[in-house]
Every structure is written in C-alpha cells, then in structure tokens.
Amino acid sequence: MLLRIIILSVMCFSSVFGQSYLFKDGRVVKAEGTKIQGNDLIVTTKSGESNVEMTFPLANIVQMDWPEPENLIAARDAVKEGNYNLAIPKATAIMKEFEPTKKIKGSWWEVAALTHCQAMVAQEHTKAAEHVKALMKEQDNPNLVTQAKLLQIELELKAKRFKEAQTIITEMEKKNPSDEIMAFLYNFKGDIAFSEGRFDDAIESYLHVPIFYGTVEVAMPRTLLAVARAYKKFGDLQRAFRSYAEVIDKYPKSAEAQIAKQEKSL
Amino acid sequence: MFKKLSPLVSLYVAVFACFLASMGCLHAQKRGGIPLQQMLQEADAALKGGDYATVIAMMTDVVARISGGESVAGTNIDDLRLMLANAYFQTQNNAKAEEILKAILAGSPSAKTAEEARYLLGLGLARQEKFVDAIPIFDDLSQSSIRYRDKALRYKAMCAHRANQLPVAIDAYSKLLRSNNRDGDWADAALTLISLHIENKNLETASEGLEFLRKNLDILDNYVGLNILSLQLGNALFEQKKYELALTAFRTVSLREKVLSEQETRTKRLTEIIAKQESIKPRNSEIADMIQNAKTRLEQIKERTKTIEEMKVYDTYLYYSMAVSYQELSHLWEAIILYTRILDRYPTWAEREKAHFGLVKCYSTLGRISKVKTSVDAFLAEFPNSDLVGQAVFLAALAVAPTNDTATLNEFLKIGVSVGASSPKNKELRQQMLMMQANAFFTGQKYESARDVTASYITDFPDGLFLEDASYMNAMAELVLGNTDKVIVALNAYNTKFPEGRFRADADLRLAMMDFVRQQYEPGLKRVNEWLEKHTANHTQAGEAYSLSGDIYAGMGEINDAIESYKKALEKTLSDEQLGYVLDEITKHYQSLRRDDEAAIMWEKFANDKPDHPFVINAAYWIGRIRTREGKIDQALEKMSNIVSRFISDPSHEQVERLLLQMAQVLARPPKLGPDRKRPPGLSDDEMMEKIKKILITANVEPNDTSEVRVLFTAAETASLRKKIQVRDDIFKKIGQKPFIAHPPGILGRIGDYILEQGNLVKAKEMYQYLVTRYPKSIFADFGYVGLGEIAYREKDFKMAHTQFSYAIDIAGARFKLKEATIGRAKSLFELNQMVEAKELFEQVASNRSWRGEPTALSLYYLGEISAKKGGAENLAQAQAHFQRVYISYKKFGPWVAKSYIRSAEVLLELGKKQDAVNTYRELLRQDHLAKFPENAIARERANTLDPIP
C-alpha cells in the first residue's frame, strides 16, 4: 500500500462523508472523500492532523457502502412526480459517476440506470428501447434483468404489442417472482385487458395488487389510477371517483395524483 | 450493550491478586487451612467453569469467615455475597438467592452493588412467581439505573402482565420500546405489548404497533406470532365493525407457506444464538436470563408454529375474512376476487358454500348479470341442497328483475320457489320468490302463469305476508285474460277479505268496468257514481272513473252525457294512455254529432294549455284534419305549422312525421274550382317547395339539418300524393345525402327503404343499422329491422335474416311493418328448411284479409313449395293446388303467377301428368302480360321439348 499525496485532475466523486469499502481480504476502509483514477480508487483518510491518500485497485473491492447521492434521490423523486426531463440528466450523471464501480455490490449505478430507463420509458423516448435492451444484457445482475423485463413489457404495451407483452408476463410468472414483481405483472395484465376493451377483466387484474400485494407501495399510485379509469369505462362511476380520490389523498405528490385530479373532474 | 456482572467480580479478584503479588504482602488469614484468597481464586475458577455448586460451597465459607471477622484486603463483603447469590440464582435456588440479596440491600451496599442486587432480586422473585413483589423492584430499578433500565422495564411489564395489571404492563412495555436497543427481546416485547393492547381493546394502537413491527422484521424472531396477532387484531376490528382497519390488519398477514418458511429461518437463527450464548463461560445472570428468555421465546414459537402447521384452513380463513370485510365496505369487486380465489384454489375447504353465496351476492349487487348466472349455476352444481341457495337465488332474481332478461329471471325464480318449497327455514323467502315470480310473469305479459302462481300462493299461504297483493294480482290477471266472470268473483272475494284494502278503490272501479263490459250499463253507472261520491275529487283514479262513466253513457247511446263525462275526466289526472283515449273518444263523439268545430276547439285548447305535452302533435293533426275538412286550409296549415315548428329541429320527436304526412295530404289537395268552374293549375314543384319551407321554417325555428330533412320529406310526400314520382325520388336522393344524425327515425326508415329499392344495399344497411342503434325504442324501429332482414335475405344469410325479422316483431313491436316482417320470417324459415314453422307463418299471411293481395299470392306459392318438398302423390297434388290458386286468383301479380305456372307444370310432370304439364306451360305462354318474365322462355323450351310442334 502506497501513501501518496497526489494532485489529481481526474474524475472525482463528490465529497461525501460516511463512505466505506470492504475489500477481498476483509479489511474495511472508511473514507471521507474518494476519487477514481483509471482502475484505482484513491481514498482520503485522516491521519492525525493531516489527510492521507491511499490507492486501492477497484478489483479488490467487494462491497461499497455509500449514502444515496442527492442527485439520485432527486432523480427518483422526479420520476415519481412525472418530471422526466429533470430525472433523465440527473440519473445519467450518477450512472457516469458510478460506471467504474458498477460491478461492485452497493454501487449506485444499478439504481441510477433503472431510474434513467424508467424515465425514458415513461417519457416514450425514442431511445428507451435501446437502453432497456442494454440493461437486459447485464446477465450477472438478475435483479436488474428482471426490472429491465418489466420495462420491456411497458414498451410493448405502449406500442400496443399485447401478445409480446403477454409472453413476457407469462414467462416471468412461472419463475415464482417476488410480491413487487407480481404487483407490476398484475398491473400489466390489467393494461392489456383495458386496451382490449375488457374493462371488467382489467378491474379484476388491477385489484389483485391492493388485495394481495398491498405492501408494494411503489405500485399503488399506478394501480389506483388504472382501476379508476377501468371503473369509469365499465360504467361504475361511484367506484371510479373513489379510486381517483384515493390516489389523490394517499399519493398527493405523484404524477398519477395530478392526472387523477384532471380526470376526476371530467 | 450490557456490562457483565461476573467479570467485574473477577476483575476485583484478579486485581487484588496482582496487587498482592506486586506488593509481596498478603493479609490473608487462614481458616480451616485454606487461605481466603486461595478460596477466592478457586471460586473464580469454578465460576468460569460454570461449577456453581463449588462456587456456592466456596463462597458460603468465605462469606461466613469474613462475617466471622476474617478479612481479605481489597474485597467488599457485599460483592462476595452478590457472587454467592448469583451462584444460587444460576442453580435455580431462587429462595436462597432472595434471602442473600435482601440482606445485602438491607445494609449499605455501594450504588453499583445495590443495582445489581436489585436486578437479581427482581428476577429471583419473578422466578418464584412473586410477581406483585417483583414489580416495585423493577420499577425502582428502571428509574434509578441507566444500565438496567431496559431490562427492568421488560421484567416489570412481564410481571405486571402475569399479575394481571394490564395498564402497568402496557405502560412498562411502552416505555421500554422507546429505547433504541432494537433486538430480539425488544421485538418480543413489542409483540407482547400489541397483544396486551388487543386484550385491552386498544385496537387502533395495536394496529399502529403491528404496522411499526412490520417495518422492523429483521429483528423479529417470532414471525408466526406476528401473523397470529395480526389475524387476531383483524378479527377484533371486524367485530367492532371497523372493516377498513380490519383489512389493514388482514393484509399484513402472510400466507401459511410463507409464515412457516420465514419462521423456519428465524427459529434456526434463534437456536444458534442460544447455543452460542450457552457456550459462554462464565455465565452471568444477565446472560443466563437472556438465554432463558430466548428459550422461552423459542418454545412459544414452536408451539405457535405447530398450530399453524396443523391449521390447514389458515389461508382460506384469511381470505374469507378479507372478503367479508371488503363486502361490508361495499368493495365488491375485491370481495369477488377473494371468493373466486377460495373457490378456485381450495376445493376441500369445508365452508365453500359461504364463498359461493358471497360471490352470488356480490355479483347481484353489482348487477353483473352474466356473472350472476354463472355463479348461481356453479353454486347449485356444487351445493344443490344448501340452505343458502334460496337466498342466493332470490338476490340473483332481484338483480335480473330490472333487466329485460325474463327467461333468466324466471329460471331463478323457479329454482328459488322449488328450493323454498323444501325448506321450512325459507318459508318467508318462498313467499317473496312466488310474488316476484308472479310479478315477473305479469310484467312479461304471461298472465296465465301470473294467475296460476298467485292462485298457488293464496292456497299455500292463506295468512301469507303478501296475501292481499296475490289476491289482487290474481284478479287482474283474470281481467287481462278476459275471464269476466272470474274477475268478478275474484274482485268480490278481495273486497270481502280486504274491505279497507289498498286496492279497494281500484277493485270497485274494475267491478264497474265489468258491468260495462257485460253491457250492464245501469248497474255500472250506479257503481261509478257511488265511487265518485265515496272518493275525493282529488283521488288519483277520479279521471279514470269519469272516463268509464263516459264509456257507459256512450254505450247507452247518451253521447252528450258521454262527452260531458269525458270532459270531466280531462280535468283530472290521467295517464298519457288514458288521456289519449279520452281525447280520441271526445273527438270521435263530436264528429258523430257533427260538432267538429268543438272537437277542434278542444284540441286547440289542449295545445294552448299543454304546449309541451307529446300529444300536442296529435292536437295539430286533428286541428289540421278538421279545419281542412271544413275547407279552412290556410287556418289548418297555420295551426299545424305553429305546433310542428316547435319540434321540427329535434329528431327525437317522432310524432312530427305523422303531422308532416297530414300536412302533405293537405298540401297535395288540388286547388279549388274557380268561379269559372275551372280548376287553376297547381303550384309548380319549386313553388310547392317554397311554400313548405315557409310553413315549416317559421321565425321561431332554428334551422338545422333535421329541419331541412323534414322539409324535404314533406315535399317528397306531397310530390308522391301529386303523382310526381320522379320529383319524389329526386328529393329522396337529396335526403339520403344528409348525415344520418339529422334524420328522425321515421324518415330514416323511409329513406332506407327507398335506397334499398334503388339497389344500394351498403348504404341502406348503414341507415337501418343507425336507426336501430340510435333509436332502439322508436316506433319506427321496425323499419330498420325489416330492412336489415331484407338485406340479409338477399345476401343469403338466412339465419341473420330470420333474426332481424324476428326483432322487428319481438323487440320493435312491428307497428308499421308487421306484414313485411312476418313474410320475411316465413321466407327465411323456408330457406333454413324449417318447414313446419314456415308453413304456419305463410298460412297466417294467406289468411289475413287486410293483407290480401301480393302477400297472399306469395304465401300460396311458398305453401306450394313446402308441400312439393314433402314429396308423395298427396303432397304433390296439394302443391299443385296451391300453385294453381295463385295463377287463377291472383293474376295481377305477374312474377308469382309466372313462377306458379312453372312449378305447377313441374309438379304435374312429377305426378306423371305430362299432357297437363304441357298445357300448363302453353297457358303461361298465352298470357301476354307474362311475356317479359324469364319463366316465359322456360315454358316455351319445355313445352317444345315435351310436345314438339311439328
């Protein structure tokens, strides 16, 4: 291990307190500031009165523990609020920042990449499909691939390729997915039924989410809005308004709540 | 984290030993040969080795010797006694530990020693189930010791719970949980607190606690306990009718498989922790206590896990509880999903019929009729004898009743009645079902069935809840069926049984009506007058009574009195049907007395008084007709125009067309003869069009496409009446180019027919479809169905054709197109080879005198074809007779005559009558008016073939 004081003009992490790194040999290094230079991580720590820089090969790091970057928090909030133009550049910046560490457990690259893709898909960006495909290639990260498949289903639905969407759904259902995944799959099945004019089937699909997967909060605003629309189309206006009110009351800052406010008054 | 008791003691001993060693001086006193410090060392070693018996023996001796005056420098007797007490504690000799600890506390121990002694004392007391004594010990400790605060609170709570001091226990647990030391013990305490809240009916607080715990699942050992509590909470909230909160609790409960799987992981983890703790030597009281708590917790978990393992209905019970909660909240779709899941996934659940019932109830309440049917069918298939079937079917019937699906309604009611018949529990239900059935039959115009069901009710339930309704409906059914004698008997029976009944007034009026029907006018009039005297002038049926009075007077030939009665009726409340009847009767009678002017005045008054009433069009019609007859053409047109212009732009006012036809008749009348007895020329087509526009589009009209269509229609009808067919057709073409939405239904049908005649099937089909879709209840809807039927027939889709023709009659009532619809049906059935039904219809058409003409010829022809298809000499002879009748009696109708000749000849040939066949062909050829038909060439060829002309 070399102790060096180096003036660096390389890409820097934002100076964040509370970072720590677990190495292959079991050591844990806590840092107040870190930088990446090539394939190395330069960690700054205090030694007495002075700061000391230590260099570690990235390949030796097993896990990193970072507080969530503010820009990423902002990006995810922006997605929830439907502000995709704000979300995309923020998420992109975080992706770039964490790109060298993307294979390290605890890196924020995965979350940033997902947030980025979610925003692009929601915005119906022309390159959304390309980015989703890229995520699906990350085969050593099964969680990321699963999330990418969900985004793929969304893309298929937006393009009205219902059969293709259903194929992915069926394939995912067979793999005993988590509650969160099931919640999304039921939403998608509801979307397909809705698009085919089978509003009662759509309602029943959507309602599987609050009944059986009610703890999956992330899926709820979308579900409530979708079921409100399905009730409306089916002709059950009372229940439609109730669902609109629920999404507005429980998730007031969400993009779905804003849409609900408009649709409720129509 | 916790500081250990024994290391502190050990430290004293170790430091002392070092001190002594460094000083090289010991103040040891020997007793029994073993120096005290040696005994202390040995005791320490025994403590580390977990040999508490040795510790006890050693320390008892040490304490006794020090109490006896010996001393060991650097030691404190209280600490040594504490060590002894701890050893007793470790060996479960709690009484002895208690004695020693109390002795320590009675003295002046140091703060630290006192703290530890109190803790140990409390534990000892708790172990001896002296919970009430332990509570103040722990309470004091929790307030005075930072080190022991959490433990003391926990034990205080546990002791208070055991001592049934629930508020104390809750308070202690609440304070404990505010600490940040969240571990397995903390989670266990949280569960216990929640359980106490449930026990104490603080359900909302319990709910909040569970919610919080679910967010800290990683520290929770007792996962199965959490789920059981959630279920208990849900049930408790349900019992309090707090369904929203109950659902929140139920939704947090995991399914059985997940509970067992999660618990297995946690149980394994806890077992490992216990083993690890048990391996620690020496073990102080805290560790011992921790192990004990963990073991107790483990036992509880195992017990609860076993309960869940044995509870095969855990999941269904959960789902059912959720379903019922949702149902109570009127979240019926959610309830449906849960009931469906139970029925789909748990075929062996003993209470499936409850789920079936719930499903039927939810679908019925939502009015999802097709699902009501499937759910009832499924219920009946699985539980045909269930006590709940009657109720389920009743609910289903209630749901179906408002729809037009009488077949399904009757099916349900039939089941409901027969189910109710067998079960005494459902006696009341059966009565309701019978009455519902009777109502359904009556509304569906199945009066015989309604009569039979009500008769059955009256017999079966002589004191039934609905006896009055059943009795009266029975009488009304007989009335509609025209069984006058039976009506009178039934009404009199009703009046006898229910002299002050709800239907008494109506019954009396009906009896008067029966007198009228039987032409017993005097008694009838007497009854009516008695009725009018008995009931107030504001009675809802006063108008009906006066109307009946008018009928009776008219029957007696007293027309003036009849008119006066009818006029009185007009002053009262009348239904639209009654109003129309009375107005028409007055008009008719005025006309019979040649008092047309009064009739016209009556209608004019009506139009003035009720300008928005639908009959105002009728008023315009009569005014126009009467004034025209009076020669007051302009006045007639003006009156009609004043009324019709108010509705001319609204396509939904169907009666306007009737008036326009009337106006066309007026407009088409030739001009009156001039003084020179010559008839001046009529208006030109353009002048007529201008006149019509001026009449119909008055200043108050906002012209639109509909008003334009109506103007054109009137012009077309006028041209038709003036025998200007080309002009009519040109106008029809213009109308056909207007958007459909502008067409009133009557014109849609008429123009559709024109376009069909012109051969444009596609456009005609569009118009007809628009008509039946946009105006399904219009009196002109039969135009649409008949048109669609015709088109389907031409396209050889005979099944569709039959359907459409049937709709014209069954749905639209075939007010204008009954003939066409009947013929169309008959022909379609013929093509579908349903000869029996087809024959019946053709015979109906052929025998209808009002349709005499081409329909008759057509029908006879088809009857011939039907007979011919049967084959055999007799049938062929019958066929030949039909064909012959056509060409003998209906010569006017060339196409059918020509066909009939050919078929007649063919049949004669089949009968072996070759010469007759030839003669028939030659007869056709002799008819000049048949020369243009293709059958002419056929006849010529065949005649020449069979009997060549040399």
Side-chain angles (χ1 to χ4, degrees):
Chain A
M1 186 181 1
L2 296 173
L3 297 176
R4 291 189 283 174
I5 298 172
I6 300 169
I7 297 169
L8 299 165
S9 58
V10 296
M11 195 161 58
C12 298
F13 284 115
S14 49
S15 176
V16 179
F17 295 104
Q19 301 169 27
S20 68
Y21 298 87
L22 171 66
F23 289 84
K24 282 180 184 172
D25 59 7
R27 278 178 302 151
V28 173
V29 173
K30 293 188 194 246
E32 287 168 7
T34 51
K35 296 171 192 145
I36 289 187
Q37 185 181 7
N39 290 328
D40 292 329
L41 178 74
I42 319 276
V43 172
T44 308
T45 57
K46 271 201 176 314
S47 175
E49 291 293 317
S50 54
N51 283 341
V52 169
E53 287 189 354
M54 296 182 283
T55 303
F56 305 96
L58 284 171
N60 287 350
I61 301 174
V62 170
Q63 184 173 329
M64 53 193 284
D65 186 8
W66 269 59
E68 189 174 359
E70 281 177 18
N71 270 340
L72 183 54
I73 295 172
R76 297 208 288 139
D77 285 342
V79 168
K80 280 185 202 164
E81 291 164 13
N83 195 346
Y84 309 118
N85 285 335
L86 180 65
I88 290 172
K90 285 192 186 292
T92 308
I94 300 294
M95 280 172 75
K96 258 176 127 178
E97 195 174 323
F98 285 84
E99 177 73 35
T101 62
K102 82 187 235 193
K103 299 289 182 192
I104 299 173
K105 186 177 173 187
S107 168
W108 286 106
W109 182 89
E110 178 182 326
V111 176
L114 265 175
T115 305
H116 176 257
C117 261
Q118 281 165 357
M120 294 200 98
V121 168
Q123 203 188 43
E124 299 189 44
H125 197 283
T126 50
K127 294 204 171 171
E130 188 186 305
H131 285 273
V132 168
K133 267 205 178 107
L135 282 190
M136 286 176 78
K137 285 181 184 165
E138 300 283 339
Q139 289 300 319
D140 53 353
N141 190 338
N143 175 57
L144 193 57
V145 170
T146 301
Q147 296 290 333
K149 281 185 182 171
L150 292 179
L151 289 171
Q152 182 62 37
I153 296 171
E154 283 214 53
L155 285 173
E156 301 294 359
L157 289 176
K158 284 181 191 295
K160 299 196 191 313
R161 291 191 294 265
F162 302 126
K163 272 195 186 150
E164 287 81 350
Q166 184 60 56
T167 303
I168 305 173
I169 292 169
T170 307
E171 177 202 313
M172 289 181 81
E173 277 178 327
K174 285 179 189 165
K175 293 183 179 168
N176 200 19
S178 66
D179 284 358
E180 184 180 324
I181 303 298
M182 281 306 295
F184 280 105
L185 294 181
Y186 267 110
N187 266 335
F188 292 142
K189 289 201 280 192
D191 292 346
I192 293 173
F194 188 98
S195 302
E196 292 174 351
R198 294 180 287 116
F199 303 117
D200 50 351
D201 289 340
I203 291 167
E204 291 191 8
S205 263
Y206 292 133
L207 287 177
H208 273 74
V209 178
I211 294 171
F212 300 114
Y213 311 105
T215 50
V216 181
E217 285 286 323
V218 66
M220 289 308 293
R222 180 200 168 113
T223 306
L224 290 171
L225 179 63
V227 81
R229 287 169 166 171
Y231 274 135
K232 204 169 167 183
K233 282 288 190 183
F234 186 78
D236 194 334
L237 293 183
Q238 190 188 11
R239 288 183 173 83
F241 288 143
R242 187 178 69 196
S243 297
Y244 279 130
E246 199 175 338
V247 71
I248 293 167
D249 291 342
K250 287 188 178 171
Y251 307 97
K253 291 189 181 169
S254 65
E256 288 83 0
Q258 310 321 311
I259 297 169
K261 281 176 192 167
Q262 289 177 5
E263 290 183 5
K264 192 176 168 216
S265 60
L266 289 173
Chain B
M1 294 305 284
F2 309 107
K3 288 186 187 169
K4 295 181 181 177
L5 177 60
S6 59
L8 185 64
V9 173
S10 299
L11 187 57
Y12 273 132
V13 171
V15 166
F16 176 66
C18 286
F19 172 70
L20 288 177
S22 68
M23 291 298 289
C25 173
L26 290 170
H27 294 285
Q29 296 286 323
K30 288 188 185 180
R31 185 168 172 150
I34 304 171
L36 278 177
Q37 72 274 14
Q38 187 182 334
M39 287 182 81
L40 283 172
Q41 284 172 0
E42 285 177 22
D44 184 51
L47 187 67
K48 282 183 182 147
D51 181 5
Y52 300 110
T54 303
V55 173
I56 289 170
M58 290 278 172
M59 293 310 296
T60 304
D61 205 17
V62 166
V63 166
R65 282 168 63 174
I66 291 174
S67 300
E70 290 184 54
S71 64
V72 180
T75 63
N76 180 299
I77 183 138
D78 284 334
D79 292 334
L80 298 177
R81 280 173 171 168
L82 199 52
M83 187 179 173
L84 178 58
N86 180 36
Y88 275 119
F89 184 84
Q90 296 292 346
T91 54
Q92 307 288 330
N93 192 340
N94 300 305
K96 192 67 188 172
E98 178 187 346
E99 184 192 317
I100 296 168
L101 291 165
K102 278 184 173 167
I104 293 171
L105 289 167
S108 307
S110 67
K112 199 172 273 182
T113 306
E115 206 174 74
E116 289 164 3
R118 273 199 205 99
Y119 179 65
L120 213 51
L121 177 61
L123 289 178
L125 286 169
R127 276 189 182 176
Q128 294 173 84
E129 297 194 5
K130 293 179 181 176
F131 302 116
V132 175
D133 296 335
I135 292 171
I137 306 284
F138 286 124
D139 183 49
D140 183 49
L141 197 56
S142 71
Q143 290 179 63
S144 59
S145 169
I146 294 170
R147 186 174 150 201
Y148 286 107
R149 179 188 173 274
D150 288 352
K151 291 282 185 190
L153 280 171
R154 177 174 299 108
Y155 288 118
K156 178 186 167 186
M158 285 163 62
C159 291
H161 191 189
R162 294 296 295 272
N164 212 29
Q165 293 180 19
L166 292 189
V168 174
I170 288 173
D171 178 64
Y173 274 125
S174 300
K175 283 180 181 154
L176 170 65
L177 293 172
R178 279 180 222 138
S179 79
N180 288 325
N181 293 334
R182 291 198 181 150
D183 55 13
D185 286 340
W186 182 94
D188 206 46
L191 272 181
T192 310
L193 177 59
I194 291 164
S195 174
L196 288 174
H197 277 304
I198 295 174
E199 215 177 307
N200 227 23
K201 308 283 182 213
N202 304 330
L203 300 181
E204 289 186 30
T205 311
S207 207
E208 284 164 16
L210 278 172
E211 183 73 28
F212 183 80
L213 207 51
R214 289 212 170 258
K215 291 177 184 166
N216 292 280
L217 281 177
D218 52 326
I219 57 165
L220 183 70
D221 293 321
N222 195 352
Y223 190 79
V224 65
L226 173 71
N227 279 276
I228 290 175
L229 269 186
S230 299
L231 208 48
Q232 284 174 355
L233 176 63
N235 289 335
L237 287 163
F238 185 90
E239 277 166 30
Q240 287 191 357
K241 299 189 193 303
K242 292 180 182 173
Y243 303 116
E244 198 77 68
L245 287 173
L247 268 173
T248 305
F250 289 137
R251 275 201 287 244
T252 60
V253 178
S254 302
L255 293 181
R256 186 168 163 273
E257 198 181 307
K258 184 175 176 185
V259 170
L260 291 173
S261 151
E262 288 283 333
Q263 188 57 62
E264 193 184 331
T265 308
R266 285 167 166 77
T267 302
K268 193 177 165 193
R269 184 181 71 189
L270 183 58
T271 308
E272 283 167 5
I273 289 171
I274 292 171
K276 197 174 169 185
Q277 292 291 324
E278 279 183 326
S279 70
I280 294 173
K281 301 255 187 314
R283 196 188 306 164
N284 62 18
S285 59
E286 281 185 43
I287 293 176
D289 178 56
M290 200 190 308
I291 293 169
Q292 188 60 41
N293 286 342
K295 279 184 173 174
T296 306
R297 191 152 70 244
L298 187 61
E299 277 313 303
Q300 282 175 356
I301 288 169
K302 284 182 177 171
E303 205 182 293
R304 298 259 167 103
T305 307
K306 195 172 171 217
T307 306
I308 300 289
E309 278 168 351
E310 288 167 2
M311 206 170 154
K312 305 288 182 204
V313 296
Y314 175 91
D315 291 353
T316 43
Y317 179 73
L318 173 63
Y319 283 151
Y320 184 72
S321 302
M322 287 174 72
V324 177
S325 302
Y326 272 123
Q327 205 171 337
E328 292 292 339
L329 288 167
S330 274
H331 289 227
L332 301 178
W333 289 81
E334 290 88 333
I336 284 168
I337 290 168
L338 284 156
Y339 286 132
T340 306
R341 182 162 279 207
I342 290 172
L343 292 170
D344 287 346
R345 295 193 184 187
Y346 303 97
T348 57
W349 188 42
E351 297 182 75
R352 281 171 61 84
E353 64 183 292
K354 283 190 197 172
H356 273 296
F357 179 71
L359 202 58
V360 171
K361 193 170 174 185
C362 288
Y363 279 134
S364 299
T365 311
L366 283 172
R368 293 177 66 188
I369 305 303
S370 62
K371 294 287 190 180
V372 169
K373 285 165 75 169
T374 50
S375 61
V376 167
D377 287 344
F379 191 3
L380 285 170
E382 197 175 338
F383 296 100
N385 301 317
S386 166
D387 281 344
L388 293 173
V389 161
Q391 283 182 59
V393 171
F394 178 65
L395 290 169
L398 279 177
V400 172
T403 70
N404 285 329
D405 192 352
T406 48
T408 304
L409 176 62
N410 287 331
E411 197 186 311
F412 286 153
L413 291 172
K414 200 170 149 189
I415 295 165
V417 164
S418 65
V419 164
S422 57
S423 170
K425 278 190 216 176
N426 285 334
K427 205 171 161 188
E428 190 178 314
L429 197 59
R430 182 161 184 265
Q431 289 185 59
Q432 288 176 314
M433 300 287 267
L434 274 172
M435 284 313 298
M436 198 189 274
Q437 192 179 41
N439 269 321
F441 280 140
F442 201 98
T443 315
Q445 298 177 4
K446 292 183 178 157
Y447 301 113
E448 283 181 6
S449 300
R451 177 197 59 198
D452 295 343
V453 169
T454 48
S456 180
Y457 182 97
I458 294 165
T459 308
D460 292 349
F461 300 102
D463 298 310
L465 296 164
F466 307 105
L467 184 63
E468 186 181 346
D469 296 76
S471 302
Y472 204 68
M473 191 186 294
N474 183 269
M476 290 302 102
E478 295 287 16
L479 176 70
V480 177
L481 287 167
N483 300 330
T484 315
D485 294 338
K486 289 184 181 173
V487 175
I488 293 168
V489 167
L491 285 172
N492 282 327
Y494 172 84
N495 281 352
T496 304
K497 192 149 176 105
F498 302 99
E500 303 299 325
R502 287 161 24 234
F503 307 108
R504 182 59 200 259
D506 191 69
D508 288 344
L509 214 48
R510 302 285 176 200
L511 282 167
M513 195 181 294
M514 290 301 102
D515 289 333
F516 168 71
V517 164
R518 292 186 305 170
Q519 296 178 352
Q520 292 175 5
Y521 299 128
E522 297 280 351
L525 197 59
K526 186 175 175 226
R527 264 194 222 270
V528 170
N529 287 337
E530 278 170 3
W531 193 100
L532 285 166
E533 270 174 49
K534 185 177 170 186
H535 296 287
T536 66
N538 292 333
H539 194 284
T540 52
Q541 289 184 286
E544 202 178 331
Y546 278 118
S547 173
L548 179 57
S549 173
D551 290 342
I552 294 172
Y553 276 125
M556 290 161 75
E558 294 178 27
I559 305 300
N560 286 318
D561 288 334
I563 288 173
E564 289 313 304
S565 285
Y566 286 133
K567 280 164 82 174
K568 280 183 188 158
L570 280 181
E571 292 163 15
K572 305 295 177 190
T573 306
L574 289 168
S575 67
D576 280 352
E577 196 183 331
Q578 289 165 340
L579 176 63
Y581 172 78
V582 167
L583 287 167
D584 283 347
E585 286 300 297
I586 295 176
T587 307
K588 180 179 83 181
H589 290 307
Y590 270 139
Q591 287 187 315
S592 71
L593 294 174
R594 295 187 191 283
R595 287 156 62 181
D596 291 17
D597 185 56
E598 284 175 81
I601 289 169
M602 178 193 75
W603 282 109
E604 281 162 3
K605 183 176 184 306
F606 179 87
N608 274 339
D609 292 347
K610 298 180 184 184
D612 296 321
H613 197 284
F615 285 175
V616 78
I617 302 287
N618 301 48
Y621 171 81
W622 280 110
I623 293 166
R625 186 167 155 166
I626 293 169
R627 294 302 181 209
T628 303
R629 217 182 283 155
E630 289 173 350
K632 297 173 187 173
I633 308 289
D634 290 338
Q635 189 182 355
L637 284 171
E638 188 193 338
K639 287 285 182 196
M640 286 193 280
S641 160
N642 284 344
I643 293 170
V644 81
S645 61
R646 296 173 50 223
F647 308 103
I648 195 146
S649 300
D650 182 354
S652 64
H653 273 270
E654 296 193 286
Q655 298 296 337
V656 169
E657 272 61 58
R658 187 182 171 203
L659 196 55
L660 295 177
L661 289 171
Q662 174 66 19
M663 289 178 85
Q665 289 195 349
V666 174
L667 288 161
R669 284 163 77 103
K672 285 186 191 167
L673 295 174
D676 57 356
R677 308 300 297 165
K678 283 185 184 169
R679 199 179 295 283
L683 294 175
S684 69
D685 298 328
D686 289 341
E687 284 167 344
M688 182 58 79
M689 182 66 83
E690 278 311 304
K691 183 172 182 176
I692 291 169
K693 273 187 195 164
K694 206 173 159 190
I695 290 170
L696 292 179
I697 312 296
T698 55
N700 60 325
V701 171
E702 273 190 41
N704 61 6
D705 282 340
T706 299
S707 60
E708 202 178 322
V709 161
R710 278 177 163 148
V711 164
L712 289 170
F713 178 74
T714 310
E717 286 300 316
T718 308
S720 179
L721 288 165
R722 291 169 76 187
K723 310 261 188 262
K724 298 192 173 191
I725 304 304
Q726 190 55 54
V727 172
R728 180 203 71 180
D729 287 353
D730 289 343
I731 298 173
F732 273 169
K733 264 190 204 131
K734 278 187 197 165
I735 297 173
Q737 282 158 8
K738 296 287 178 193
F740 294 166
I741 196 165
H743 290 54
I747 296 180
L748 265 174
R750 187 68 190 87
I751 301 301
D753 284 351
Y754 169 74
I755 289 174
L756 182 62
E757 264 172 54
Q758 299 303 302
N760 189 344
L761 267 63
V762 170
K763 181 144 188 191
K765 192 172 181 179
E766 271 181 43
M767 289 196 94
Y768 291 134
Q769 271 173 343
Y770 185 82
L771 169 56
V772 303
T773 314
R774 184 86 169 81
Y775 302 104
K777 295 193 177 167
S778 165
I779 55 172
F780 299 104
D782 58 341
F783 274 86
Y785 290 120
V786 166
L788 290 169
E790 290 291 344
I791 292 169
Y793 189 89
R794 290 187 200 191
E795 291 171 348
K796 298 196 189 315
D797 186 353
F798 301 116
K799 199 166 173 205
M800 176 56 75
H802 179 260
T803 301
Q804 297 293 351
F805 287 127
S806 301
Y807 283 163
I809 299 169
D810 299 332
I811 295 178
R815 193 162 159 161
F816 300 103
K817 293 273 195 168
L818 179 60
K819 178 177 67 183
E820 291 83 353
T822 310
I823 292 172
R825 259 172 108 170
K827 284 167 62 180
S828 303
L829 286 166
F830 177 85
E831 297 297 338
L832 290 168
N833 210 29
Q834 291 178 251
M835 296 303 166
V836 172
E837 296 90 346
K839 182 172 181 251
E840 195 182 315
L841 284 173
F842 282 127
E843 282 170 351
Q844 200 180 310
V845 173
S847 62
N848 190 326
R849 285 194 184 176
S850 62
W851 294 345
R852 200 173 170 76
E854 188 178 353
T856 321
L858 177 155
S859 298
L860 287 170
Y861 174 82
Y862 273 100
L863 286 167
E865 288 286 17
I866 291 169
S867 292
K869 273 185 187 275
K870 287 183 191 168
E874 199 179 318
N875 290 322
L876 287 172
Q878 196 171 36
Q880 203 278 329
H882 283 309
F883 295 132
Q884 196 174 47
R885 203 171 138 205
V886 174
Y887 58 72
I888 288 175
S889 306
Y890 296 91
K891 291 185 195 304
K892 260 173 54 171
F893 306 105
W896 298 108
V897 168
K899 285 185 205 307
S900 295
Y901 270 121
I902 298 297
R903 288 295 290 129
S904 177
E906 285 171 351
V907 165
L908 284 166
L909 211 55
E910 274 188 76
L911 285 166
K913 297 179 181 175
K914 181 182 163 185
Q915 192 52 56
D916 287 343
V918 170
N919 293 343
T920 304
Y921 285 131
R922 294 218 188 281
E923 198 177 315
L924 185 158
L925 293 171
R926 282 196 288 277
Q927 317 273 331
D928 291 338
H929 70 285
L930 300 177
K932 62 187 174 186
F933 295 110
E935 285 81 4
N936 186 283
I938 295 169
R940 188 179 306 285
E941 191 198 329
R942 289 185 185 173
N944 287 340
T945 303
L946 289 170
D947 182 27
I949 295 170

